[in-house]
Amino acid sequence: MTAARRIPLTLAVFAVTAAFSLAQFSFPAVLTSLQRTPAIRDGQVWRLVTSLLVQDGGWFGTISNLFFLLLVGALAELTVRRWLWATCYLGCGLAAELIALSWQPTGGGNSIAICGLAGALTVALLARPLRPSAAWRTDALGSDLRPRHLWLPAGVAWWSVALLGTASEVALYIGAVGGVAVQIALVAGGEQGRGNRTLGRIVAVGALLVGIALTALRNIHGPPLLLGAAICSASIYASMRIWKQSKRER
C-alpha cells in the first residue's frame, strides 16, 4: 500500500486547507471574508469553521501550518482511528475557535485544529511502548490506538517547539534545544531508540506541559491540545471497557 493510501483523510483536509490558504495571497478578500471576527456573535457562525481554512500568519505561518498538518496529521492517521482523527481535528478546532472569541477574537489558522491531533498523539505515546516491530500492525487489543509510527516522538516534539514559538522567542529557542535533543536521540538509537518508551513518555509529558502553560497564558493553542488528549483518553477508556466486557461474556 502506498503512503498516500494510508493517509487519505490527512491529504483531503490538506488539499482543501491549502487551496483556501494559498488563494488568500492572490485574493486578500478570502482571508477577511472567512477569518474569525467578533461578527460571529452577530450571527456569522460559519466563520467558526471557515477560519480553519485561512491563515493570519503570512507566508511563513501558512507554510508552517500546512507542513505540520501533513506531518502531525499523517502520524495521527497512522496511529488512531479516522473517526477519532476527525473528532480531534474538527472538534478541538471548533472548541478553540469559541475560546478565541474571548482571547483572540480576530484571526484564522488551522494550527489550533492540529493541536487536537497532537493532544491525541501524546496519549498514544503515554499509553503503550513504541515497539518498532509493531509498526503498521493492527491493534490486537481492540482499543482505538494503533501501534505507533517509529518517528512519532519527533513529530510531537517539533510541533511542541512550534507552539512555544507562539508564546515568545525565548520559549522557541529553549524548545528548539529540546527538539534537537529528541531528534539526536532518535537517530542515534536506531530502531530500538525510536521505539524507546521512556523517550516517548518524556516527549508526551513535555507536550502536555506546553499545553498547560499556553492555556495559563491565554494562548488559544493550549486548550485544544489538552482537549485532544482528553478525547483520546476517553476513547481508549471506553473501548477497553467494551473489550473487557466482551471478553467476560465469551
Side-chain angles (χ1 to χ4, degrees):
M1 184 182 293
T2 64
R5 293 183 64 183
R6 294 181 186 274
I7 54 171
L9 186 54
T10 298
L11 293 178
V13 173
F14 174 84
V16 174
T17 305
F20 282 93
S21 298
L22 297 178
Q24 71 183 54
F25 294 101
S26 297
F27 308 98
V30 172
L31 175 59
T32 56
S33 299
L34 301 182
Q35 69 179 346
R36 179 182 64 254
T37 72
I40 292 173
R41 297 191 181 97
D42 298 326
Q44 297 184 16
V45 293
W46 42 268
R47 288 180 180 270
L48 291 173
V49 177
T50 58
S51 57
L52 297 175
L53 300 174
V54 292
Q55 317 291 336
D56 63 3
W59 277 107
F60 180 80
T62 298
I63 298 303
S64 174
N65 282 351
L66 291 176
F67 168 76
F68 278 109
L69 172 57
L70 275 180
L71 175 63
V72 178
L75 290 172
E77 192 166 356
L78 292 168
T79 303
V80 302
R81 305 294 188 189
R82 290 192 178 103
W83 71 263
L84 187 55
W85 192 105
T87 300
C88 288
Y89 188 85
L90 293 175
C92 295
L94 291 175
E97 294 287 5
L98 292 172
I99 294 172
L101 288 175
S102 297
W103 293 4
Q104 188 182 324
T106 301
N110 67 317
S111 58
I112 53 179
I114 298 172
C115 284
L117 299 178
L121 292 181
T122 63
V123 178
L125 288 169
L126 291 169
R128 306 252 182 112
L130 304 176
R131 291 186 290 272
S133 61
W136 316 124
R137 288 210 320 244
T138 301
D139 192 328
L141 295 182
S143 79
D144 288 315
L145 281 180
R146 295 174 181 173
R148 259 55 57 209
H149 185 275
L150 298 182
W151 292 98
L152 179 54
V156 174
W158 285 114
W159 178 243
S160 299
V161 172
L163 292 182
L164 287 172
T166 68
S168 70
E169 283 191 19
V170 174
L172 174 63
Y173 297 146
I174 295 174
V177 172
V180 170
V182 170
Q183 195 68 55
I184 291 175
L186 289 170
V187 173
E191 284 199 356
Q192 190 61 36
R194 291 193 288 275
N196 187 281
R197 185 174 191 177
T198 300
L199 177 61
R201 285 179 166 175
I202 290 173
V203 169
V205 171
L208 292 174
L209 289 176
V210 168
I212 293 171
L214 292 179
T215 300
L217 293 172
R218 294 172 64 87
N219 183 305
I220 60 174
H221 296 90
L225 193 152
L226 299 178
L227 180 58
I231 291 174
C232 190
S233 297
S235 172
I236 295 173
Y237 176 76
S239 62
M240 292 304 295
R241 286 285 301 271
I242 293 172
W243 177 73
K244 290 179 180 179
Q245 181 65 30
S246 63
K247 188 176 180 180
R248 283 196 296 266
E249 292 175 352
R250 289 174 187 170

